Amino acid sequence: MQQTPTLLSIYLGKRILLGAFVVQVALTIPVVMSALFHQLPPAAMRGGLVGPALIGTLPTVTYISLPMSFGVAAALEFSRMASEGMIAVLYSLRLSAWAIARPAIICALGATIAGYFCSSFLAPRYVGTMHDVLNVIRHSLNHRMLEPAQFYTFEEGKRTVYFERWDTPDIAANVFIRQYSEEKKSEETITASKAEFRRNDSNVVMILSRGQIQSRPDNSQRVRVSDFDEYAISLPMQGGKGLPPRGWKGVFELPMREFLAYRRFAAYDPRIYAEWSSEAVKRMAIPLLALAHTLLGIGLVLNVASATGRRSVATSAVIGVIPAVHIGILIAAEALIRIHPAFAIVVSAVVIGEIALGAWLIQRQQVGDVVTSRRPLGGLARA
């Protein structure tokens, strides 16, 4: 059997890469947009949180959907080649099944490396940004997301803020604040006609204009009233140099070296160990599915497709196997392993089994081609 010609390899590689890109875009955009619309309120747009949320979501969605993109692209391309009779032509050129599949396998190996880069480096580094955004939303830590005519509490209920309307994106009108001052040991009620929210590096300073402070010390029943032209209050909200820090860090945010070392501590808690196992399977097994899906898709198409070039319904149905297998493995990695970490072994075995099955199907077609190619030679010898 001959090696695949260079021009043919480049042609098939470009076709598969282009198909994978189209499928990847078709998968990524709806998933990312649905996640953002589901988790972010409309006020997040004016709060400038869509960009950080997109950065936090995109790497994870990329490495999870990349294997299915290459598997579907390879299956589509080989199905097209079979329906147009190209597979039969390549066989007549004495190209083996492995030689025909080699460009697609090389592309799948590149996708596997890219998937490991995303799952081991990019996703852990940026996925925390999405949770920082959710932290800002849940605790009202972005002043542009505050809605008028609602009460907001800060600092574990020690401060309550209310305003009537927005005059500009950073200036609120008719402000009411009720707070407890630890320094003064007194309860304060503040009213102001205007409040301007100014961001510094780490928090937000609220500048109150033309207002009044009513304060009552803890050891007295007397209320002191004082007027002011300007009064500043610091709020623990999103500053100008990034999102405010969270009080926790997930296992999915750990760099690869720290993630592997964390296994010793996670083993003491079954719930944490199940979460660690689920994340480990997603980081280490999901990228390998790019190779597994590609081998399986090519193997199924080569064995099911008609060598004469006639379109087969079974060939088209084969393409649907790749998404079904991929979604099943994702559900197992996300749900079953969290029930019991032992399912991680099962999921890993399924991934390895898919690679072995795809390789066996291609090898089966290769052996059949060799036998077929030898028969005419034997007939000529007898003649």
Side-chain angles (χ1 to χ4, degrees), residues 5-27:
T6 303
L7 290 178
L8 180 60
S9 297
I10 295 175
Y11 169 77
L12 292 178
K14 286 183 177 179
R15 294 275 306 183
I16 290 173
L17 289 176
L18 179 61
F21 175 76
V22 172
V23 176
Q24 180 72 13
V25 171
L27 289 174

PDB file of all heavy atoms in Angstrom, residues 5-27:
ATOM      1  N   PRO A   5      -0.516  10.888  -0.853  1.00  0.00           N
ATOM      2  CA  PRO A   5       0.188  12.015  -1.482  1.00  0.00           C
ATOM      3  C   PRO A   5       0.071  13.280  -0.651  1.00  0.00           C
ATOM      4  O   PRO A   5      -0.943  13.524   0.013  1.00  0.00           O
ATOM      5  CB  PRO A   5      -0.523  12.153  -2.840  1.00  0.00           C
ATOM      6  CG  PRO A   5      -1.139  10.818  -3.094  1.00  0.00           C
ATOM      7  CD  PRO A   5      -1.503  10.267  -1.751  1.00  0.00           C
ATOM      8  N   THR A   6       1.116  14.099  -0.702  1.00  0.00           N
ATOM      9  CA  THR A   6       1.158  15.307   0.119  1.00  0.00           C
ATOM     10  C   THR A   6       0.004  16.251  -0.192  1.00  0.00           C
ATOM     11  O   THR A   6      -0.649  16.779   0.719  1.00  0.00           O
ATOM     12  CB  THR A   6       2.493  16.036  -0.088  1.00  0.00           C
ATOM     13  OG1 THR A   6       3.565  15.138   0.223  1.00  0.00           O
ATOM     14  CG2 THR A   6       2.582  17.258   0.812  1.00  0.00           C
ATOM     15  N   LEU A   7      -0.263  16.481  -1.469  1.00  0.00           N
ATOM     16  CA  LEU A   7      -1.350  17.388  -1.841  1.00  0.00           C
ATOM     17  C   LEU A   7      -2.701  16.868  -1.353  1.00  0.00           C
ATOM     18  O   LEU A   7      -3.550  17.646  -0.894  1.00  0.00           O
ATOM     19  CB  LEU A   7      -1.376  17.578  -3.356  1.00  0.00           C
ATOM     20  CG  LEU A   7      -0.214  18.374  -3.964  1.00  0.00           C
ATOM     21  CD1 LEU A   7      -0.340  18.444  -5.479  1.00  0.00           C
ATOM     22  CD2 LEU A   7      -0.165  19.779  -3.367  1.00  0.00           C
ATOM     23  N   LEU A   8      -2.886  15.554  -1.433  1.00  0.00           N
ATOM     24  CA  LEU A   8      -4.138  14.977  -0.950  1.00  0.00           C
ATOM     25  C   LEU A   8      -4.252  15.123   0.560  1.00  0.00           C
ATOM     26  O   LEU A   8      -5.337  15.426   1.087  1.00  0.00           O
ATOM     27  CB  LEU A   8      -4.229  13.500  -1.350  1.00  0.00           C
ATOM     28  CG  LEU A   8      -5.503  12.765  -0.914  1.00  0.00           C
ATOM     29  CD1 LEU A   8      -6.733  13.422  -1.519  1.00  0.00           C
ATOM     30  CD2 LEU A   8      -5.423  11.290  -1.294  1.00  0.00           C
ATOM     31  N   SER A   9      -3.147  14.946   1.264  1.00  0.00           N
ATOM     32  CA  SER A   9      -3.158  15.098   2.720  1.00  0.00           C
ATOM     33  C   SER A   9      -3.505  16.533   3.111  1.00  0.00           C
ATOM     34  O   SER A   9      -4.308  16.773   4.019  1.00  0.00           O
ATOM     35  CB  SER A   9      -1.805  14.707   3.300  1.00  0.00           C
ATOM     36  OG  SER A   9      -1.514  13.348   3.057  1.00  0.00           O
ATOM     37  N   ILE A  10      -2.895  17.496   2.407  1.00  0.00           N
ATOM     38  CA  ILE A  10      -3.186  18.907   2.702  1.00  0.00           C
ATOM     39  C   ILE A  10      -4.650  19.216   2.396  1.00  0.00           C
ATOM     40  O   ILE A  10      -5.332  19.917   3.161  1.00  0.00           O
ATOM     41  CB  ILE A  10      -2.246  19.817   1.895  1.00  0.00           C
ATOM     42  CG1 ILE A  10      -0.792  19.604   2.353  1.00  0.00           C
ATOM     43  CG2 ILE A  10      -2.648  21.273   2.046  1.00  0.00           C
ATOM     44  CD1 ILE A  10       0.221  20.367   1.528  1.00  0.00           C
ATOM     45  N   TYR A  11      -5.148  18.676   1.281  1.00  0.00           N
ATOM     46  CA  TYR A  11      -6.542  18.915   0.911  1.00  0.00           C
ATOM     47  C   TYR A  11      -7.502  18.372   1.966  1.00  0.00           C
ATOM     48  O   TYR A  11      -8.423  19.078   2.417  1.00  0.00           O
ATOM     49  CB  TYR A  11      -6.816  18.270  -0.445  1.00  0.00           C
ATOM     50  CG  TYR A  11      -8.276  18.209  -0.819  1.00  0.00           C
ATOM     51  CD1 TYR A  11      -8.942  19.337  -1.282  1.00  0.00           C
ATOM     52  CD2 TYR A  11      -8.988  17.004  -0.713  1.00  0.00           C
ATOM     53  CE1 TYR A  11     -10.281  19.278  -1.629  1.00  0.00           C
ATOM     54  CE2 TYR A  11     -10.325  16.943  -1.057  1.00  0.00           C
ATOM     55  CZ  TYR A  11     -10.966  18.078  -1.514  1.00  0.00           C
ATOM     56  OH  TYR A  11     -12.296  18.011  -1.854  1.00  0.00           O
ATOM     57  N   LEU A  12      -7.296  17.122   2.379  1.00  0.00           N
ATOM     58  CA  LEU A  12      -8.182  16.522   3.380  1.00  0.00           C
ATOM     59  C   LEU A  12      -8.045  17.240   4.714  1.00  0.00           C
ATOM     60  O   LEU A  12      -9.037  17.456   5.422  1.00  0.00           O
ATOM     61  CB  LEU A  12      -7.854  15.035   3.528  1.00  0.00           C
ATOM     62  CG  LEU A  12      -8.173  14.136   2.330  1.00  0.00           C
ATOM     63  CD1 LEU A  12      -7.760  12.697   2.608  1.00  0.00           C
ATOM     64  CD2 LEU A  12      -9.662  14.199   1.995  1.00  0.00           C
ATOM     65  N   GLY A  13      -6.800  17.600   5.083  1.00  0.00           N
ATOM     66  CA  GLY A  13      -6.596  18.307   6.351  1.00  0.00           C
ATOM     67  C   GLY A  13      -7.322  19.642   6.373  1.00  0.00           C
ATOM     68  O   GLY A  13      -7.960  19.995   7.372  1.00  0.00           O
ATOM     69  N   LYS A  14      -7.232  20.395   5.270  1.00  0.00           N
ATOM     70  CA  LYS A  14      -7.918  21.696   5.206  1.00  0.00           C
ATOM     71  C   LYS A  14      -9.431  21.512   5.282  1.00  0.00           C
ATOM     72  O   LYS A  14     -10.123  22.287   5.954  1.00  0.00           O
ATOM     73  CB  LYS A  14      -7.539  22.423   3.919  1.00  0.00           C
ATOM     74  CG  LYS A  14      -6.134  23.005   3.921  1.00  0.00           C
ATOM     75  CD  LYS A  14      -5.874  23.775   2.635  1.00  0.00           C
ATOM     76  CE  LYS A  14      -4.498  24.431   2.660  1.00  0.00           C
ATOM     77  NZ  LYS A  14      -4.221  25.170   1.411  1.00  0.00           N
ATOM     78  N   ARG A  15      -9.933  20.506   4.596  1.00  0.00           N
ATOM     79  CA  ARG A  15     -11.372  20.259   4.618  1.00  0.00           C
ATOM     80  C   ARG A  15     -11.858  19.947   6.035  1.00  0.00           C
ATOM     81  O   ARG A  15     -12.889  20.448   6.476  1.00  0.00           O
ATOM     82  CB  ARG A  15     -11.711  19.097   3.679  1.00  0.00           C
ATOM     83  CG  ARG A  15     -11.468  19.337   2.213  1.00  0.00           C
ATOM     84  CD  ARG A  15     -12.606  20.024   1.531  1.00  0.00           C
ATOM     85  NE  ARG A  15     -13.873  19.349   1.730  1.00  0.00           N
ATOM     86  CZ  ARG A  15     -15.011  19.755   1.160  1.00  0.00           C
ATOM     87  NH1 ARG A  15     -14.996  20.828   0.366  1.00  0.00           N
ATOM     88  NH2 ARG A  15     -16.136  19.114   1.378  1.00  0.00           N
ATOM     89  N   ILE A  16     -11.112  19.117   6.724  1.00  0.00           N
ATOM     90  CA  ILE A  16     -11.524  18.722   8.079  1.00  0.00           C
ATOM     91  C   ILE A  16     -11.371  19.885   9.051  1.00  0.00           C
ATOM     92  O   ILE A  16     -12.234  20.108   9.910  1.00  0.00           O
ATOM     93  CB  ILE A  16     -10.715  17.498   8.529  1.00  0.00           C
ATOM     94  CG1 ILE A  16     -11.140  16.271   7.713  1.00  0.00           C
ATOM     95  CG2 ILE A  16     -10.907  17.227  10.022  1.00  0.00           C
ATOM     96  CD1 ILE A  16     -10.306  15.053   7.933  1.00  0.00           C
ATOM     97  N   LEU A  17     -10.291  20.650   8.933  1.00  0.00           N
ATOM     98  CA  LEU A  17     -10.106  21.809   9.813  1.00  0.00           C
ATOM     99  C   LEU A  17     -11.199  22.844   9.582  1.00  0.00           C
ATOM    100  O   LEU A  17     -11.734  23.415  10.546  1.00  0.00           O
ATOM    101  CB  LEU A  17      -8.733  22.433   9.581  1.00  0.00           C
ATOM    102  CG  LEU A  17      -7.530  21.634  10.088  1.00  0.00           C
ATOM    103  CD1 LEU A  17      -6.230  22.325   9.700  1.00  0.00           C
ATOM    104  CD2 LEU A  17      -7.594  21.446  11.602  1.00  0.00           C
ATOM    105  N   LEU A  18     -11.543  23.077   8.326  1.00  0.00           N
ATOM    106  CA  LEU A  18     -12.609  24.040   8.035  1.00  0.00           C
ATOM    107  C   LEU A  18     -13.951  23.537   8.562  1.00  0.00           C
ATOM    108  O   LEU A  18     -14.722  24.297   9.166  1.00  0.00           O
ATOM    109  CB  LEU A  18     -12.696  24.271   6.525  1.00  0.00           C
ATOM    110  CG  LEU A  18     -13.792  25.239   6.055  1.00  0.00           C
ATOM    111  CD1 LEU A  18     -13.567  26.616   6.656  1.00  0.00           C
ATOM    112  CD2 LEU A  18     -13.820  25.321   4.519  1.00  0.00           C
ATOM    113  N   GLY A  19     -14.224  22.247   8.348  1.00  0.00           N
ATOM    114  CA  GLY A  19     -15.472  21.693   8.880  1.00  0.00           C
ATOM    115  C   GLY A  19     -15.526  21.739  10.388  1.00  0.00           C
ATOM    116  O   GLY A  19     -16.572  22.060  10.979  1.00  0.00           O
ATOM    117  N   ALA A  20     -14.387  21.434  11.030  1.00  0.00           N
ATOM    118  CA  ALA A  20     -14.353  21.486  12.494  1.00  0.00           C
ATOM    119  C   ALA A  20     -14.558  22.906  12.997  1.00  0.00           C
ATOM    120  O   ALA A  20     -15.233  23.129  14.017  1.00  0.00           O
ATOM    121  CB  ALA A  20     -13.022  20.928  13.001  1.00  0.00           C
ATOM    122  N   PHE A  21     -13.986  23.884  12.285  1.00  0.00           N
ATOM    123  CA  PHE A  21     -14.166  25.288  12.693  1.00  0.00           C
ATOM    124  C   PHE A  21     -15.634  25.693  12.606  1.00  0.00           C
ATOM    125  O   PHE A  21     -16.163  26.347  13.513  1.00  0.00           O
ATOM    126  CB  PHE A  21     -13.311  26.186  11.800  1.00  0.00           C
ATOM    127  CG  PHE A  21     -13.507  27.656  12.051  1.00  0.00           C
ATOM    128  CD1 PHE A  21     -12.939  28.270  13.164  1.00  0.00           C
ATOM    129  CD2 PHE A  21     -14.279  28.417  11.192  1.00  0.00           C
ATOM    130  CE1 PHE A  21     -13.132  29.626  13.399  1.00  0.00           C
ATOM    131  CE2 PHE A  21     -14.478  29.771  11.423  1.00  0.00           C
ATOM    132  CZ  PHE A  21     -13.894  30.374  12.534  1.00  0.00           C
ATOM    133  N   VAL A  22     -16.287  25.305  11.524  1.00  0.00           N
ATOM    134  CA  VAL A  22     -17.706  25.657  11.358  1.00  0.00           C
ATOM    135  C   VAL A  22     -18.552  24.995  12.449  1.00  0.00           C
ATOM    136  O   VAL A  22     -19.417  25.640  13.065  1.00  0.00           O
ATOM    137  CB  VAL A  22     -18.198  25.231   9.961  1.00  0.00           C
ATOM    138  CG1 VAL A  22     -19.709  25.416   9.841  1.00  0.00           C
ATOM    139  CG2 VAL A  22     -17.481  26.025   8.880  1.00  0.00           C
ATOM    140  N   VAL A  23     -18.300  23.717  12.715  1.00  0.00           N
ATOM    141  CA  VAL A  23     -19.063  23.018  13.753  1.00  0.00           C
ATOM    142  C   VAL A  23     -18.766  23.618  15.124  1.00  0.00           C
ATOM    143  O   VAL A  23     -19.679  23.791  15.953  1.00  0.00           O
ATOM    144  CB  VAL A  23     -18.734  21.513  13.730  1.00  0.00           C
ATOM    145  CG1 VAL A  23     -19.452  20.798  14.872  1.00  0.00           C
ATOM    146  CG2 VAL A  23     -19.142  20.897  12.394  1.00  0.00           C
ATOM    147  N   GLN A  24     -17.494  23.962  15.371  1.00  0.00           N
ATOM    148  CA  GLN A  24     -17.122  24.538  16.665  1.00  0.00           C
ATOM    149  C   GLN A  24     -17.826  25.867  16.900  1.00  0.00           C
ATOM    150  O   GLN A  24     -18.343  26.129  17.990  1.00  0.00           O
ATOM    151  CB  GLN A  24     -15.602  24.720  16.732  1.00  0.00           C
ATOM    152  CG  GLN A  24     -15.087  25.313  18.031  1.00  0.00           C
ATOM    153  CD  GLN A  24     -15.168  24.352  19.187  1.00  0.00           C
ATOM    154  OE1 GLN A  24     -15.394  23.161  18.997  1.00  0.00           O
ATOM    155  NE2 GLN A  24     -14.997  24.854  20.392  1.00  0.00           N
ATOM    156  N   VAL A  25     -17.852  26.711  15.886  1.00  0.00           N
ATOM    157  CA  VAL A  25     -18.553  27.996  16.018  1.00  0.00           C
ATOM    158  C   VAL A  25     -20.046  27.770  16.230  1.00  0.00           C
ATOM    159  O   VAL A  25     -20.677  28.430  17.069  1.00  0.00           O
ATOM    160  CB  VAL A  25     -18.299  28.867  14.771  1.00  0.00           C
ATOM    161  CG1 VAL A  25     -19.188  30.110  14.792  1.00  0.00           C
ATOM    162  CG2 VAL A  25     -16.836  29.279  14.702  1.00  0.00           C
ATOM    163  N   ALA A  26     -20.606  26.817  15.471  1.00  0.00           N
ATOM    164  CA  ALA A  26     -22.039  26.529  15.611  1.00  0.00           C
ATOM    165  C   ALA A  26     -22.381  25.989  16.987  1.00  0.00           C
ATOM    166  O   ALA A  26     -23.500  26.198  17.483  1.00  0.00           O
ATOM    167  CB  ALA A  26     -22.472  25.534  14.534  1.00  0.00           C
ATOM    168  N   LEU A  27     -21.446  25.296  17.614  1.00  0.00           N
ATOM    169  CA  LEU A  27     -21.687  24.770  18.959  1.00  0.00           C
ATOM    170  C   LEU A  27     -21.403  25.799  20.036  1.00  0.00           C
ATOM    171  O   LEU A  27     -22.150  25.933  21.009  1.00  0.00           O
ATOM    172  CB  LEU A  27     -20.810  23.535  19.195  1.00  0.00           C
ATOM    173  CG  LEU A  27     -21.160  22.255  18.432  1.00  0.00           C
ATOM    174  CD1 LEU A  27     -20.097  21.200  18.684  1.00  0.00           C
ATOM    175  CD2 LEU A  27     -22.527  21.738  18.846  1.00  0.00           C
TER     176      LEU A  27
END
